[in-house]
Amino acid sequence: MSNIVDQYRITKEPYYRAVADEVELFEAAYSVRMPMMLKGPTGCGKTRFVEYMAHKLNKPLITVACNEDMTASDLVGRFLLSAQGTEWQDGPLAIAARHGAICYLDEVVEARQDTTVVIHPLTDNRRVLPLEKKGELVNAHPDFQIVISYNPGYQSLMKDLKQSTKQRFGGLDFTYPEHAIETEVVAHESGANADIAGKLVSIAERSRNLKGHGLDEGLSTRMLIYAGSLIAKGVNPQAACRVALVRPITDDPDMRDALDAAVTTFF
Amino acid sequence: MSNIVDQYRITKEPYYRAVADEVELFEAAYSVRMPMMLKGPTGCGKTRFVEYMAHKLNKPLITVACNEDMTASDLVGRFLLSAQGTEWQDGPLAIAARHGAICYLDEVVEARQDTTVVIHPLTDNRRVLPLEKKGELVNAHPDFQIVISYNPGYQSLMKDLKQSTKQRFGGLDFTYPEHAIETEVVAHESGANADIAGKLVSIAERSRNLKGHGLDEGLSTRMLIYAGSLIAKGVNPQAACRVALVRPITDDPDMRDALDAAVTTFF
Amino acid sequence: MSNIVDQYRITKEPYYRAVADEVELFEAAYSVRMPMMLKGPTGCGKTRFVEYMAHKLNKPLITVACNEDMTASDLVGRFLLSAQGTEWQDGPLAIAARHGAICYLDEVVEARQDTTVVIHPLTDNRRVLPLEKKGELVNAHPDFQIVISYNPGYQSLMKDLKQSTKQRFGGLDFTYPEHAIETEVVAHESGANADIAGKLVSIAERSRNLKGHGLDEGLSTRMLIYAGSLIAKGVNPQAACRVALVRPITDDPDMRDALDAAVTTFF
Amino acid sequence: MSNIVDQYRITKEPYYRAVADEVELFEAAYSVRMPMMLKGPTGCGKTRFVEYMAHKLNKPLITVACNEDMTASDLVGRFLLSAQGTEWQDGPLAIAARHGAICYLDEVVEARQDTTVVIHPLTDNRRVLPLEKKGELVNAHPDFQIVISYNPGYQSLMKDLKQSTKQRFGGLDFTYPEHAIETEVVAHESGANADIAGKLVSIAERSRNLKGHGLDEGLSTRMLIYAGSLIAKGVNPQAACRVALVRPITDDPDMRDALDAAVTTFF
Amino acid sequence: MSNIVDQYRITKEPYYRAVADEVELFEAAYSVRMPMMLKGPTGCGKTRFVEYMAHKLNKPLITVACNEDMTASDLVGRFLLSAQGTEWQDGPLAIAARHGAICYLDEVVEARQDTTVVIHPLTDNRRVLPLEKKGELVNAHPDFQIVISYNPGYQSLMKDLKQSTKQRFGGLDFTYPEHAIETEVVAHESGANADIAGKLVSIAERSRNLKGHGLDEGLSTRMLIYAGSLIAKGVNPQAACRVALVRPITDDPDMRDALDAAVTTFF
Amino acid sequence: MSNIVDQYRITKEPYYRAVADEVELFEAAYSVRMPMMLKGPTGCGKTRFVEYMAHKLNKPLITVACNEDMTASDLVGRFLLSAQGTEWQDGPLAIAARHGAICYLDEVVEARQDTTVVIHPLTDNRRVLPLEKKGELVNAHPDFQIVISYNPGYQSLMKDLKQSTKQRFGGLDFTYPEHAIETEVVAHESGANADIAGKLVSIAERSRNLKGHGLDEGLSTRMLIYAGSLIAKGVNPQAACRVALVRPITDDPDMRDALDAAVTTFF
């Protein structure tokens, strides 16, 4: 039965370029099984980081993309009809708790505030998950840890974590890496050379200064990698930047002009 | 089992008249399996373009018309009752991911923002689709690509894609083609002659100048083809324009007068 | 299996009194299978017209009274439990598409905007209906046509068709017929004589002038037929008008007085 | 199978005291199977009237108390699970249409506007009920008639019948009967003598003058019958009026004083 | 089958201290099976009164705590799956109607207005309960009576009974009993002596003067009984009042000071 | 069957440091089975207290983390499909009532107000739980007690307990313990020495003064224990405080500076 989590093992070391002491801090947090919260803008590497840590700690990683329609049953499990009547099926959180995986709830603020309440008993010293519909109390496996991510820029009055949830997690901040590191990351991941990667990072830095002045978010590392991939495939750099950077991020004509101008400056 | 996607193959080359370098850019995007976003007004040819590309790339195309009631299960799959209990049935997104089709989510902003979250793991480098209810992690077929369309004119505060979704896609803009090309398209598709097709395009161009001044949208290429078809069937051009162009697009008496006058100018 | 639509054939020619060239235009539209939209106030004959055309074209007619609670499944179909597990059952739209009926969606604005999205693939040149829950792509029968009706007077910000839906239909306007024709219709349908029918039409014309000045709608042809039927059964004309015309249309005392006065004028 | 409606036959003639020509008008309406709408305040005898007419016309009467949670399926029918899979069960409207009963939808404005749309095909000359989920088109039995009631005083912007519904019905107004008739009704139904009944009616008349001046509704005939019943059982008239008339109708101390004073005036 | 209601019989006479003529009035109401409405603040003895009357009248009592999520099915019944397909299960209202119990709907305003509509046919002279989903019309058992309670202080625009519901019930007002009687009740129920009980009632009376001046409700008789029970168990009176009276009723520091001062005055 | 609650027994005495007379008061409340309400901010020890009391009283403890999506069925129980049809399964509240556990509803204000109504019959002298869907009336086991917790700081107009619920519970206030006691608790639970624990408490005290001046809540005892655990594992105290205290509690740059300054003062 334990092999249900084997499909969640990360067999190849993911590429991750550490920025500060985040790897050591996460290891310490894991050693006391402290639940962790990764904060930062979209596409800056939070998901990659948790994949890297899961590989380093040699633990299976179960990722759940949270959304507003997610019910507690989607996390915890449900009864399914079978030929013999009903049969319980663990949800991803129950699988992780029972078999000792790291459970990563991505974009947790998307979930309804109250759905997140089901993780509370797993985050204090009881480390239990009550399967109320089944009448079972799962004691978490010693290897189990819970990790959540969220983007503080999205916080609104309607969608924020409750204090009683926040206070159950240690926190790590993430942001875009500095120029040289981001260039290295873009080059490594896209196959574009360092010169092109550096230019793409420079364009992104300009866009990030526009955040809050017409752009909701700046260009992310992930988008730069897309642009670099197209260029590495032989696409004209201006066209590649148009397709992968400017068109997706905004429909505002002025913003597009500003970003197109930035592209022209560098290519 | 692989023949489930055969019904989605496009056997006859769809008529598509390229406007710029969109065909080449899409091919490059497909070569790195970049998720793509097609933007533009209704009826300007986005759906036709993706059909054309699917045929050119020789890949099956699974189209999903998105709507507000669409749940994650409608995309991903669900358990159905069978004589043996329950049986999993892949949804269109899972079929496409598993068997290597292009999955085209038409009018994606209609879907609930949070339903779109289920496509995230397929759009980053993991290219996986977690079937959480089934406890299975589908690794996308190498041929799989995801394409979405949306009409920026519909963007409202309530209905827009989240930045964390937008940043996962390359973007291509679509608009109505220029006069000569649109005339060629209308003539080809409707069976009307070039003279009539050109007049229809001229009427459409007038209507597009009224967009935002009493009309929500101008006349689309698709509507011109309808009008051309009626004329080609022998319907009086003024009646054909009334039925296929003016009556559908507005109930406002002044706007109808303005459009009827445009029709009279040309026919 | 094809006889499932036989119950939808209209065996007796419905009475319909053409007002302009609407019969010819509809025939031309059907010849190119253009989806059609019938616009006009309640009770002016839209439903009767489509019945007449279905009979004239010798096609089965499947009518769906749209409502807000109608789901996509109500149109497209669903799985039902059977002794062998689940069994697919086509909805009215799927039956019409598969077997070649005219599908008439009455009062389509009542349906949720996004439910109407399911008809899109049937209205462009693909003419397909994806049964996503079943994983089947139905190619529409060559005889299939889709017709919708709506009452522009009901249009509100909340309930209007989307441009991307409107632009997929040709349009025909309906209104109350002119005095002589409406008199002929009322007499024919109610069994009342031409004198009485003409008086009823005159009362209706007065009420229609009050539309927007205290009445939401004027008296419809259908209501006149009801009144005529009562009179033909021997009911006193004033009582018949009170029951069939005045009481149903308004609870406002002033409006009732105005309408009662109109009745007294003629009877 | 026809005996399913036998339980809905009214075996004993209900007591009904005609006020004007409503009995004759209803008979004429039934003779042409015109759908009827009974309007008037709560407790003034609409339900009793329709019971009386059903008995007089010797037709079964199926009454449905409408409410906001009522779905189209509650009226039309649904599939139930059985040992053989699923089995269709007609709802009250389908039973009435199929077997020829009068179907009385009580307080129809309580139902969602769009649920009422399902009765439309039964109210025009088609007289059919499409069981869309079953794929069956029920032709109404020749005896079938539909009757609805509503209280115009409750009309709000949110809850009113649509014009396209209203125009499908003939209308009869109901109100409290005049003093002598109401006294006769109260005495007959409660077992109280004519003197007491007359005093109760006088109290009610005072309360009805307060409608809109602190009371939402005046005392209804039904309430007077309750009070009369208590008095006939030996309860002190003032206590009976307090329990059956004043306490139920308002919690406002001033209104209670005014009504208590009216009671004291007569008893 | 009749023994299903035996579990609802009240075998031991409940303690109830009559305040006025409410016992006699209820007996008279029951003798004509008038539906009754008990009005008054929380914890003043409405539930106890109905238990007492059920015992006195020797009828089973089925109590339903109403809530917003309660559907008509929760009252009326539903189909359950069984080995033979589906099997109907009466809800509490149907059990009471069929077998002759008193059905007590506690805090009926909590239920959705329109759910309460299902009780209408049981409250007029028809005394029937249509089980629409089952297609059965239950004629109420001669012993059946319906009783509802509500707290007028909770009335809001959103939550009030409809006039058409209110007018179907006789009404009895309840409030806290006068000093001597309430002291007797508290002493009897808590086991505390009369001196302590009297002091507790005095504290409550002070709190009731604060209603609307910082407190939503005054202290109820039920709370005094809790406090008395703790004191009878040997708890210090001030601590007992803190735990059972002050802490539960308010979180406002000023109100707490005022109430603590009242406690200190008496103990 | 009784062993279903054995998994809810607390075998090892939980660490709890009494602050005042709360242990004695709770024992007295339990002796009369008074329902109890524990009030106080998040992470100050309410859950630990109820675990401690359950162990001291030697009763099983069933904890339910309340949330907005919790239905009455989640508390009370439901029918599940089995090979023999449907089978009733008690929910946590029914298990506790039937078998004599303490049922602890954590963060009860999260549940819908009206869901909490189901606990009412268990909190007055009837001590019954009606399983309406099953038609069974459960008499609570003599050992059964109900305990709820809530955080008054979260009270809003939308989410507060109803008076009729509040008045059914005795109340105990909880807050953060005084300096010396909290230091002892942090040292005991985290493994950090008293000096470090004391510094952490001092940082927390500063943060609690910021509550309402930029922070929604101050640092909780639970967070201090997390920080202490990291320090005990060898993590640098400033990094430990950053991860476990500052990052989780706020995203506001000024607040972070203020809290970082407090950390630097002590470490």
Side-chain angles (χ1 to χ4, degrees), chain E residues 105-120:
Chain E
L105 303 179
D106 193 14
E107 304 200 41
V108 75
V109 286
E110 294 301 321
R112 290 187 289 198
Q113 268 199 5
D114 301 290
T115 303
T116 61
V117 165
V118 301
I119 62 179
H120 284 194

Side-chain angles (χ1 to χ4, degrees), chain C residues 4 7-8 42-43 47-48 51 63-70 74 78 80-83 89-92 95 106-107 110 154 159 189 216-220 222-223 226-227 229-230 233 235 239-240 242-244 247-251 256, chain D residues 21 24-25 28-29 31-37 39 70-72 79 81 83-86 112-115 117-118 120-121 123-126 130 132-137 150 152 155 160 162-173:
Chain C
I4 192 174
Q7 63 180 322
Y8 297 107
T42 188
T47 298
R48 180 65 63 90
E51 288 173 336
T63 298
V64 182
C66 296
N67 64 72
E68 212 173 52
D69 301 322
M70 205 170 65
D74 289 329
R78 55 169 53 83
L80 291 178
L81 282 174
S82 72
Q89 192 200 40
D90 278 347
I95 293 173
D106 194 14
E107 304 201 42
E110 295 300 323
Y154 279 169
K159 283 200 175 173
E189 294 283 291
D216 291 334
E217 293 270 339
L219 294 165
S220 66
R222 184 193 290 128
M223 297 175 89
Y226 278 148
S229 302
L230 287 183
K233 277 276 169 179
V235 174
R242 200 175 67 228
V243 168
R247 290 302 166 267
I249 207 171
T250 181
D251 296 316
R256 288 189 162 188
Chain D
D21 56 352
E24 292 71 30
L25 286 173
S31 73
V32 296
R33 302 297 183 272
M34 187 192 298
M36 289 301 286
M37 181 195 305
K39 297 184 182 186
M70 204 170 65
T71 64
F79 281 102
L81 282 174
Q84 284 72 44
T86 51
R112 289 186 290 197
Q113 269 198 5
D114 302 290
T115 303
V117 165
V118 301
H120 284 193
T123 57
D124 57 31
N125 70 307
R126 291 172 290 167
E132 279 154 20
K133 287 184 182 160
K134 200 185 167 197
E136 183 193 347
L137 196 69
Y150 90 124
Q155 272 177 274
D160 192 10
K162 299 194 303 174
Q163 277 293 338
S164 66
T165 301
K166 280 186 185 176
Q167 299 210 357
R168 293 162 181 278
F169 289 84
L172 284 176
D173 281 356

Side-chain angles (χ1 to χ4, degrees), chain D residues 221-256:
Chain D
T221 312
R222 184 193 290 129
M223 298 175 89
L224 304 182
I225 295 167
Y226 279 149
S229 302
L230 288 183
I231 296 169
K233 276 278 168 180
V235 173
N236 168 287
Q238 293 208 14
C241 289
R242 201 174 68 227
V243 168
L245 304 183
V246 185
R247 291 300 166 268
I249 207 170
T250 180
D251 296 315
D252 181 274
D254 293 343
M255 278 297 118
R256 289 188 163 189

